């Protein structure tokens, strides 16, 4: 709906999102890649556009690797 995180991603031209809430991960991954911060409540989500991450250090390294490409 209006004001949803998915809408905010579109409005702000984001090209990647870090998220842990299952419903947001599922909706946002329809439009851009999502780094899904692992938690018991979001297990079982698996799509091409979702990368499960386990720490902020891993997220930091993900962006460093993007810079090198």
């Amino acid at each position: 709906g209006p004001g949803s995180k998915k809408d905010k991603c579109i409005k702000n031209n984001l090209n990647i999102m870090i998220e842990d809430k299952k419903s947001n991960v599922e909706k946002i991954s329809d439009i851009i890649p999502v780094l899904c911060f692992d938690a018991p409540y979001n297990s079982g989500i698996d799509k091409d556009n979702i990368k499960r991450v386990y720490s902020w250090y891993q997220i930091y390294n993900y962006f460093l690797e993007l810079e090198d490409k």
Side-chain angles (χ1 to χ4, degrees):
S4 73
K5 279 197 177 177
K6 181 177 176 180
D7 290 337
K8 289 177 177 152
C9 288
I10 295 167
K11 183 180 168 206
N12 292 291
N13 292 316
L14 299 189
N15 56 16
I16 194 162
M17 182 68 168
I18 301 163
E19 180 60 57
D20 68 329
K21 187 177 176 186
K22 190 171 184 177
S23 60
N24 285 335
V25 172
E26 289 170 334
K27 290 173 190 154
I28 295 167
S29 66
D30 287 341
I31 56 164
I32 57 173
V34 176
L35 299 180
C36 178
F37 216 109
D38 186 63
Y41 51 82
N42 65 31
S43 66
I45 308 174
D46 186 27
K47 277 168 57 178
D48 286 344
N49 233 7
I50 298 170
K51 177 176 173 60
R52 193 162 287 274
V53 292
Y54 300 90
S55 69
W56 286 105
Y57 181 75
Q58 185 183 3
I59 293 167
Y60 174 74
N61 280 318
Y62 177 87
F63 285 103
L64 284 183
E65 286 171 19
L66 284 182
E67 273 185 4
D68 290 343
K69 289 180 181 172

